[in-house]
Each structure stands twice: as structure tokens, then as C-alpha cells.
Amino acid sequence: MTNSARQTGLTAQEILAARKIHGWNELPTVAPAGPIRVWLRQFSSFLVLILIAAAVVALALGERIDAITIGLVVMLNAALGFIQEWKAETALASLRKMLSPQAMVLREGQEQIIPARETVPGDILVLTPGAKVAADATVIQAAELQVDESVLTGESVSVSKGLAEGEQEVFAGTSVIAGRAEAKVTATGANTEFGKIAHLTGSVGRKTTNLQNKLGQLARQLGIAALLVAAGVTVLGLLLGRDMNEMVMTGLSLSVAMVPEGLPAVVTITLALGAAAMVRQNALARRLQAVETLGAASVICTDKTGTLTENKMTATQVWTMDRTYHVTGTGYDPAGHIELDGARIRAADDSVLAALLQVGLYCSHARLTSDGTDWKMVGTPTEGALIALGYKGWCDLPNERGLLAEIPFSSARKRMSVLYQSGTEVSVLTKGAPEQVLEVCTQIMTQDGVRALLPEDHDAILQAFSDLAERGLRVIGLARRPVADQKITEKELTFLGLVGLIDPPRPEVRDAIELARAAGIKVIMITGDSPITAGAIAVQLSLTATQHMIGTDLDYLDDTALSELLQGEVLFARTKPEQKMRIVSALQKQGQIVAMTGDGVNDAPALKQADIGVSMGVRGTDVARDASDLVLLDDNFATIVRAIGEGRRQFANVQKFVRYLLSSNAGEVIALVVNIAIGGPLVFLATQILWMNLVTDGVTAVALGLEKSEPDQMRQPPRRKDTRILGRSGIVTIFVLGTYTGLSSLWIFFHLIDLGVDLARTTGFTAMVMFEKLSVVAFRSLRLPSWKIGWLSNPFLLLALGVTLCAQLLAVYWPPLQILLHTVPIGVDEWTLIGIFALPILVVPEVLKALGNRAHRT
């Protein structure tokens, strides 16, 4: 590019030529899933495919009612899944629309504001405070430029940029917080550092959740078993001389009985209700299974800046030669105060403190504003923290006309000075790195007044500086000198003291980490910030880390050494995106279910690699949100722990209603198989099986999915990754309960068959429905008896039981349903018989759980 281009910017012809070569300044994006794609995605489950196949077979056999009923269940399942996933997609689209990135460029000698996507290589960016850098660029003119690069590096402290070697490059996605500059664009779109990390994110393939894997495995097992049993019984019946049409319908009835038709709908409804509950708690699930997977997390890998911390620099301690002050409050809200030995103190009460606060307030370009509900800061985070400190000490506010001259901060001098007039007094006020401020001081201010700076004072100041820095604080030195000639010179200053600043942890995070630890979940900090700062935050949060590993050292570890390191308590600092991915992958190879939190583009690859990625909805970048499974709408780490509790509740409830549905189906299958083996009319018809599985069982299972969390849920360790939805105990429960209900229904059927097949079948059918409804009490908790969790604690279940029992009464006594289900009215004797066989189902499981709990306690 010519020198004239540097001075005036590109011409229209040059812009078109550059765009033709480099394209638009935007990242390659995967087209968002449209409504049709999201809708079709709902039919990918193996269980749903089995239901569709069953509906097709029923239709082919002329059983239209059966086919329509199954089809309605399939459509209900699809509609519920579609609504939730489409809401998540549109919510993310709304978050993107909130951001309309623009860029100020110099073109044809004029400063212009254009959409950031129109920026091309060769453009001259005009960078001012508050602006986002639209593309990678090289600084060609600069005046005290300060840039926040935390979205790329995780570094919480702003970075100086200028013409010096190593300071010239600014990067897309970072923010200007102070100064002004012009920079020539060198890379746009996918060629920027931002784009390279986004490409790394895209290299991670699409993942499936743990629940999807378990349900898929269960669906395949049930599907194969249903086909084998149905085919075997059909062949057996034909060999015994039974009618072919009858046996085909019997086979279909068996396959329908074995496959829990209500399961996909129940799972979808339960997860959708859980996702809706999480939105009310500020967590948006992009996939229904996301929250459940988080409930299985055994490790949370968390970023520091903006996730554990507030991303707002805060003064926490003030040191002077003879006093040390503690500062309360966080962020830029001046509601806190300054304390000396536990008592509040103001500038008017302490001359040294007053002088120090005045330097922090007056030697600054930052300012605080309030909209009545929140405080905002304009300027560098360090200056913003010093302004807030002055407010907390009730220092006199600066007079804008009092600033007479300035020597700006530079990375070489590492200090800033202003000439400031307050009333009739004119002073040089200086702040900066403690060593650089100290080297221009010859005096020190104490409570007894100003005196000469002695060598032992110099040593004491450096020791205090070292102590503060070792605690992870950024330390600022402050000094002043009254002048008579109104000339600004940095010499013979009076040293006032030191201020320690840090990006503080969010107040709720400590308790959230403690709750996660109690739940057996390991929390690992992985940050791009310095190990000292990260370690200080870890100490404040009681986050145990016996080892600190920085990114450069991590590169020397092979996978075995890294795996061994991860067995202990470790903190990772100065990490790069690919290193974060490697850490997550190493944990997954150990069999851990890994949740990764973050907000910056540097976190996106690891977010996608993790079993569940959790991004920040307010501060998070689009790349991070798109790579995540769960978006925290309030950027609150504590919300993750609440989501873990919700996820555990969801999985426990999935286990409960899967066992409930399968035990119900097992009873039907056993009754049919024994029925066919011994001969005689069918105990249940296909429409009756569909009624039991879809109408009565489905409604009850949904209500069972709304059970509240059990009292000790968050004191239990995370479940193993290979934990099955059923497990050995579940299979035994299903077999025992299914055997009892199946044989009981069959006994009732044959006991009454002499009174008529229709009466016997109706009574057996009704008995099975009653058995299934009462057995749900046993599944409300797999460990605790109902009186421990409260008989009335799930009103939805009580309502579901009432509705389904009323529906069964209609099935027996209402003529339209009698025709549909081939039922006849039954009398008091039949109901008494049903009650006798139903009572053990209600009593025995509760007694066994009570005895099991007593044995466990002893």
C-alpha cells in the first residue's frame, strides 16, 4: 500500500479489488438449522423409528385405529422436541442480533462508520475507547492505546499497544479501552487470529450426549428383543396350528407390548419441562439432553476471567508507610467503603489517605456513570478501579477545569503524570508501576507529615509491593508534589502509598464450588491469565490447587504424564485454545464426563470438545455460544451448580419412569406369552395394549418425571459414565414386578373365563391397568419409601392417577370406548378380586425400601 493510502485510506476501486480477493470480513458459518431440519431431527431416535414401523404394519393389516394412535404419539414427541430446540435456536439468534458490530475506517480521506463485515485488508481502522477491533491490524499511529484482549487470551489486564516492536499488532474481537490509534488491516475473516480459533472449534465433530447414548442403546436392545420375541411367538403359534391373521396380530401386539411407546414422548416432555425450568433460572439449553448431561458431570473445567471473576478491576487494599487499609465492595459500584482496623474511614479523617485518593481520582481519564440501577465505567479498568476507590473514601470529586497539563502513560516510562489545580494549589500528580514511581520520589508522606525518603523506607515500599504482588494483586504506586511555577516535571515527588487491585471473584462462586465439591465434582481452573493471579483467585475461592502448570510447560508433557497430573489438584495458567482442548480430551480418556465453561473465543474449541459446553450469554462471544450446549443468561457460575442439580433430578426421573414403563410392559408380555403357550383366547387385544401403554402409562410416567429432587441428591457422587438406565437392580425389579402383574392378570382372566370371554378379558385388562397405576408409587424413589419423600409432594402424579383411573372407568362403562376397546361392564366381585391382587403391589415395595434404609444406616 502506498504512503498516500496510509494517510487517506483506500479508494472505492481499491476496496472492491480487495473484497474480490479476500471476501467479506466474517467467519465461515454453518447455516443455522432451519425449521424443517430441526423437525426431521426429531425422528432420528431408534425407538421412534420402531413406533413408525409398528404404525405402518398396523395400517397394512387394516388396523387403522392402532396406526393412528401410534402416529399421534410420534407426532406429539416430535412437536415437543421441535418447540424446545427451535426456541433455543431463535433465542441464540436474538443474542446475535443484539450485537451489530461496526467499524470506523479512514477512506478517501474521510472517517466513515461502516459494518465491520465490509472491512478489507488495507483499510485504516480508527480506534477509539469503547470500539471493537474489526480485524487484525498493524498500528501505524497511536496515542496511549490500551486494548482488552481477554476474549482471546484470558488475560484480565489490558495491554499497551503502540509503534514499539511487539506492541504493533491488534486483533479482531478485542476492545479498545483507552487512547486512540490508526491501524492498517492485515487480515480479515477466517485469516484473523479470531478466525483461526473458530476453525479449531469447527474441527471438533458433533457429539452425542450421555443420555442419548444410553437411550439409543436401550432402544436397540428393546427393538431387537421385541422383533425376536414377536417373530418367535408368531412362528410358534403357526406351528401349533393357530390362524395366521390371529398370530400376526398377536405378534404385533407383543411387539407393541415390549416397546414402551410412551417412552420417547415421556423423555421429551420431561426434558422439555426441565429445560423450561432452567430458563427461569437463567440457563438456556440448546439441546434437550444438555442439562441431563451436566447432571452427570464429574469434572468442571472453568475459565477464570469473566466466569469465576467479575471482569471488573477492583481496589482491595491500600498501603501507606504507617497504615494498611482494607477496601470492601467489588466492581465499579462505589457502594463499598474503606476500613482501617475494621472501622470505616473517610478521606477527611486521614490526610495521607486523602492525598492518595486524590491522585487516583485526578490523575485519570476514566469516569463512572450510573443509570439508577447499575454503574458503568468508561476508561481503563485500572483507572476505573481507582475512581471507584476515591468514591468509597468520600474524596472530593475532580474539577474538569483543574487539569492543566499531562505527561501520558507510556510502556517505556510505566507511569502517568498530570498538572492539576485545586483551588489555589497546583500539584504534579503521578501514578504507575511502583518501581517507576519510586525512582522519581525523594520524600514520603506519613501520618506525622512529609519527610525525606530513607533507604529503609525504600526497602519497606518494595517489600510491601512484593507482598501484594505475590497475592495476585496488580499494584499501583502514587505520588505528588506541589509546584509554584505550574510546570509539570517528574522529579522530587512525595511518595504516598500503594494500591492493590484485582479482578475479584464473583461473590456467589465460592459457595457454588463448595456445593460442587460436596457433590463429588472436581473443579479445575484453566485460564489464559498469569499463574500468580489465577492462584490468588483460587485461594479466595477455596479452590484447591497444589500444582500450577503453565501452557509452555504443558507442551513438554506427554499424554501419560498429563493424565497423571490430572489425577491431582492442578491449576492451568497461560493456556492456549488447543491446550484447553487437550486437557478436556485427557480427562475424557479417563472416563470423566467433562463440563467446560467459558466466554471468550479462546474457550470455544474446548467448549465444543467437552461433553457439555457452558458459555456466557451476556459477555460471551458468538463463537463461544455457538460451540456450547448450555448458555448461562446471567453469566453466573452458580447457575451451573443449580443446573447440575436439575440434571441429576432429570436422570433419576428418567431411570424411574423407564423402569416403571418397562415393568408395566413386562407384565403384559409375560401374560401374553404364557397365554399363547397354554392356549385359549388372547388375554389382551392390540387396542387394549395401546390403551395401557399410550394413554394410561404415558400420562402417569410424565407425572413421575416431575418428581422433585431427593433430599440427599447433591451429596451423592456423580454417576459413572457407564451407568445404565436400567442396571442389574432395575432388570430384577422389572422381572419380579412384571411376573407378578402378568401372572395375576392371567389368573384373573382364566378364573372368570367361564362367565364369558369378554367379561374375563375386561377384568384382566382392568386389573393390569390398576396394577400399573399402583406400582408407580414404588418408583417415586428407588431408595426411599414414600413417607420419606412425602405422599403428597408430587401433586401432578396424584392428578395423573386420578385422571387415568377415571379414563379406565370410562373404558369399562362408556359405550363408545367399549366399542373401541371391546370391553363390557364389570361388577363388585370383579373389582374386589382386582383389589386383593393389587394390595401387595402397594405395600411390599415400601416395606422393602424401609428395611433397606434401616440396614444401610446400621
Side-chain angles (χ1 to χ4, degrees):
M1 195 59 57
T2 63
N3 288 335
S4 62
R6 292 187 179 219
Q7 296 170 359
T8 63
L10 299 177
T11 64
Q13 291 81 5
E14 290 171 328
I15 294 167
L16 291 175
R19 184 166 298 129
K20 186 175 181 180
I21 296 172
H22 301 284
W24 297 101
N25 180 30
E26 56 190 6
L27 299 178
T29 56
V30 178
I36 295 176
R37 184 177 172 187
V38 174
W39 173 255
L40 293 176
R41 200 157 59 201
Q42 309 309 314
F43 300 94
S44 59
S45 164
F46 191 58
L47 274 181
V48 173
L49 294 176
I50 291 176
L51 290 180
I52 294 173
V56 171
V57 172
L59 188 62
L61 293 173
E63 301 294 335
R64 294 184 179 180
I65 294 176
D66 295 358
I68 291 171
T69 305
I70 298 173
L72 288 174
V73 171
V74 171
M75 298 304 289
L76 173 63
N77 173 70
L80 291 168
F82 172 82
I83 290 170
Q84 173 60 26
E85 292 192 15
W86 186 246
K87 281 171 62 179
E89 293 291 341
T90 53
L92 286 171
S94 299
L95 284 173
R96 292 190 193 99
K97 289 180 181 179
M98 291 170 61
L99 304 172
S100 52
Q102 294 182 318
M104 181 182 291
V105 297
L106 185 64
R107 288 181 173 177
E108 297 185 328
Q110 299 292 321
E111 291 185 356
Q112 304 175 25
I113 296 178
I114 63 171
R117 71 187 296 266
E118 296 181 6
T119 308
V120 297
D123 260 326
I124 305 299
L125 296 177
V126 180
L127 304 177
T128 57
K132 274 204 169 183
V133 181
D136 287 2
T138 300
V139 174
I140 56 177
Q141 293 184 28
E144 314 309 326
L145 183 65
Q146 296 279 316
V147 178
D148 177 3
E149 295 184 343
S150 60
V151 295
L152 273 179
T153 65
E155 178 70 63
S156 58
V157 179
S158 59
V159 180
S160 297
K161 298 291 182 179
L163 301 180
E165 185 177 354
E167 297 183 357
Q168 294 176 290
E169 303 303 320
V170 291
F171 302 103
T174 59
S175 302
V176 178
I177 56 175
R180 180 183 171 90
E182 292 182 2
K184 179 184 175 183
V185 174
T186 56
T188 57
N191 295 319
T192 62
E193 290 299 313
F194 195 103
K196 292 173 184 176
I197 298 176
H199 175 73
L200 185 63
T201 304
S203 68
V204 181
R206 181 164 179 161
K207 62 198 173 198
T208 56
T209 67
N210 195 48
L211 181 62
Q212 284 175 313
N213 294 332
K214 298 303 180 187
L215 286 175
Q217 183 183 47
L218 177 64
R220 288 188 294 272
Q221 292 170 345
L222 290 175
I224 292 171
L227 294 175
L228 291 176
V229 171
V233 170
T234 301
V235 171
L236 177 64
L238 292 174
L239 292 175
L240 293 175
R242 293 205 174 222
D243 179 71
M244 178 176 289
N245 286 339
E246 178 192 5
M247 290 315 301
V248 170
M249 282 306 299
T250 300
L252 178 62
S253 299
L254 270 173
S255 63
V256 168
M258 287 193 68
V259 176
E261 292 86 353
L263 182 58
V266 171
V267 170
T268 303
I269 292 171
T270 300
L271 297 183
L273 291 173
M278 286 311 303
V279 168
R280 292 192 291 273
Q281 297 186 54
N282 293 312
L284 173 67
R286 298 191 63 213
R287 294 287 183 272
L288 285 182
Q289 294 88 353
V291 176
E292 181 280 328
T293 304
L294 185 60
S298 54
V299 178
I300 300 176
C301 295
T302 177
D303 180 41
K304 178 186 71 69
T305 307
T307 306
L308 297 178
T309 66
E310 296 188 356
N311 199 36
K312 295 178 180 178
M313 197 63 74
T314 303
T316 60
Q317 193 161 334
V318 177
W319 180 92
T320 63
M321 180 53 70
D322 35 20
R323 287 182 177 179
T324 299
Y325 310 83
H326 175 69
V327 186
T328 67
T330 60
Y332 304 118
D333 188 341
H337 51 269
I338 301 174
E339 295 180 349
L340 176 64
D341 298 327
R344 296 186 183 184
I345 190 169
R346 298 184 178 184
D349 306 323
D350 188 317
S351 59
V352 180
L353 178 63
L356 181 145
L357 296 180
Q358 286 172 359
V359 174
L361 265 176
Y362 304 163
C363 184
S364 174
H365 293 294
R367 66 180 186 275
L368 299 182
T369 60
S370 174
D371 58 7
T373 58
D374 192 20
W375 286 83
K376 305 291 184 183
M377 188 276 298
V378 178
T380 68
T382 297
E383 290 191 343
L386 293 175
I387 296 291
L389 176 65
Y391 278 43
K392 292 174 183 178
W394 290 78
C395 183
D396 293 334
L397 298 181
N399 177 2
E400 291 185 4
R401 296 182 180 180
L403 184 62
L404 305 178
E406 176 183 342
I407 303 177
F409 177 88
S410 72
S411 56
R413 291 171 40 258
K414 295 186 178 179
R415 59 178 179 260
M416 168 188 177
S417 296
V418 299
L419 188 66
Y420 186 86
Q421 181 173 358
S422 178
T424 58
E425 182 180 291
V426 179
S427 301
V428 174
L429 310 179
T430 300
K431 73 173 192 300
E435 303 102 317
Q436 278 66 35
V437 171
L438 195 55
E439 71 183 13
V440 292
C441 291
T442 57
Q443 296 180 305
I444 187 168
M445 188 174 186
T446 69
Q447 296 297 322
D448 297 326
V450 176
R451 61 171 174 78
L453 182 66
L454 303 175
E456 52 266 32
D457 298 328
H458 189 279
D459 294 342
I461 293 168
L462 292 181
Q463 183 59 51
F465 167 42
S466 177
D467 292 343
L468 292 171
E470 286 179 359
R471 290 164 46 198
L473 300 180
R474 187 181 190 192
V475 186
I476 302 297
L478 303 103
R480 65 178 297 167
R481 178 173 69 91
V483 295
D485 53 6
Q486 295 197 2
K487 291 183 179 179
I488 181 169
T489 56
E490 294 178 328
K491 62 181 182 179
E492 299 180 356
L493 301 182
T494 300
F495 190 84
L496 302 174
L498 304 170
V499 177
L501 309 101
I502 198 168
D503 177 16
R506 294 175 180 269
E508 67 281 351
V509 168
R510 184 189 178 106
D511 290 340
I513 289 176
E514 184 58 37
L515 184 58
R517 187 181 292 116
I521 301 167
K522 185 176 183 178
V523 180
I524 301 175
M525 185 192 299
I526 307 176
T527 179
D529 213 338
S530 73
I532 294 176
T533 303
I537 293 296
V539 169
Q540 292 182 51
L541 294 174
S542 297
L543 184 58
T544 306
T546 56
Q547 296 185 74
H548 293 185
M549 175 65 65
I550 62 174
T552 52
D553 293 338
L554 182 60
D555 289 335
Y556 292 104
L557 295 183
D558 60 21
D559 290 346
T560 302
L562 176 58
S563 181
E564 291 176 359
L565 180 68
L566 288 168
Q567 299 290 343
E569 302 291 344
V570 61
L571 175 154
F572 295 93
R574 299 291 190 204
T575 52
K576 294 180 289 188
E578 59 271 22
Q579 293 169 333
K580 293 184 179 184
M581 278 182 65
R582 185 184 172 206
I583 294 166
V584 171
S585 180
L587 287 165
Q588 290 172 325
K589 289 177 182 177
Q590 294 178 352
Q592 306 283 3
I593 295 181
V594 183
M596 174 74 195
T597 75
D599 58 358
V601 66
N602 60 318
D603 299 316
L607 287 173
K608 194 168 183 181
Q609 174 69 41
D611 294 283
I612 177 147
V614 183
S615 67
M616 306 298 142
V618 178
R619 186 178 181 269
T621 60
D622 281 344
V623 174
R625 284 194 291 266
D626 290 344
S628 67
D629 304 286
L630 193 73
V631 181
L632 301 185
L633 301 179
D634 60 354
D635 287 12
N636 191 335
F637 181 87
T639 303
I640 300 171
V641 180
R642 291 196 296 271
I644 288 173
E646 174 62 24
R648 291 189 173 190
R649 184 192 70 84
Q650 285 186 10
F651 185 81
N653 287 351
V654 168
Q655 280 190 312
K656 293 171 187 176
F657 63 63
V658 165
R659 295 183 184 195
Y660 165 69
L661 287 173
L662 292 182
S663 66
S664 299
N665 289 17
E668 299 163 17
V669 171
I670 289 172
L672 282 169
V673 171
V674 175
N675 181 199
I676 293 169
I678 65 178
L682 289 176
V683 62
F684 306 130
L685 301 178
T687 51
Q688 293 173 346
I689 294 172
L690 286 169
W691 173 268
M692 288 187 285
N693 290 3
L694 301 178
V695 179
T696 61
D697 288 355
V699 173
T700 310
V702 169
L704 188 59
L706 296 176
E707 280 291 335
K708 296 178 181 178
S709 300
E710 295 184 19
D712 60 348
Q713 174 184 271
M714 288 301 286
R715 294 193 296 273
Q716 299 295 320
R719 67 179 186 270
R720 291 171 55 89
K721 195 168 187 175
D722 58 358
T723 299
R724 298 179 181 273
I725 293 176
L726 288 179
R728 186 175 301 173
S729 63
I731 294 173
V732 171
T733 301
I734 291 168
F735 177 76
V736 172
L737 190 57
T739 300
Y740 178 81
T741 58
L743 294 181
S744 296
S745 298
L746 196 60
W747 188 90
I748 292 172
F749 172 69
F750 281 111
H751 179 71
L752 299 175
I753 200 167
D754 292 341
L755 300 178
V757 173
D758 288 340
L759 177 67
R761 182 179 287 131
T762 300
T763 307
F765 164 50
T766 302
M768 181 60 75
V769 171
M770 294 299 296
F771 297 161
E772 292 173 358
K773 296 313 104 186
L774 293 178
S775 70
V776 76
V777 176
F779 292 100
R780 291 190 60 204
S781 172
L782 303 180
R783 297 181 298 108
L784 302 175
S786 291
W787 61 81
K788 289 283 188 181
I789 60 177
W791 288 101
L792 306 178
S793 62
N794 188 350
F796 300 103
L797 184 60
L798 298 176
L799 178 63
L801 288 174
V803 169
T804 53
L805 290 176
C806 288
Q808 184 61 24
L809 291 175
L810 291 174
V812 173
Y813 297 110
W814 190 38
L817 284 180
Q818 287 178 336
I819 296 172
L820 178 67
L821 299 173
H822 307 286
T823 58
V824 296
I826 59 176
V828 175
D829 291 341
E830 288 77 25
W831 281 109
T832 302
L833 191 62
I834 292 171
I836 291 171
F837 279 92
L839 188 60
I841 298 174
L842 189 63
V843 175
V844 173
E846 298 303 300
V847 173
L848 291 176
K849 284 190 286 186
L851 294 175
N853 271 273
R854 181 177 298 176
H856 179 71
R857 286 196 300 270
T858 57

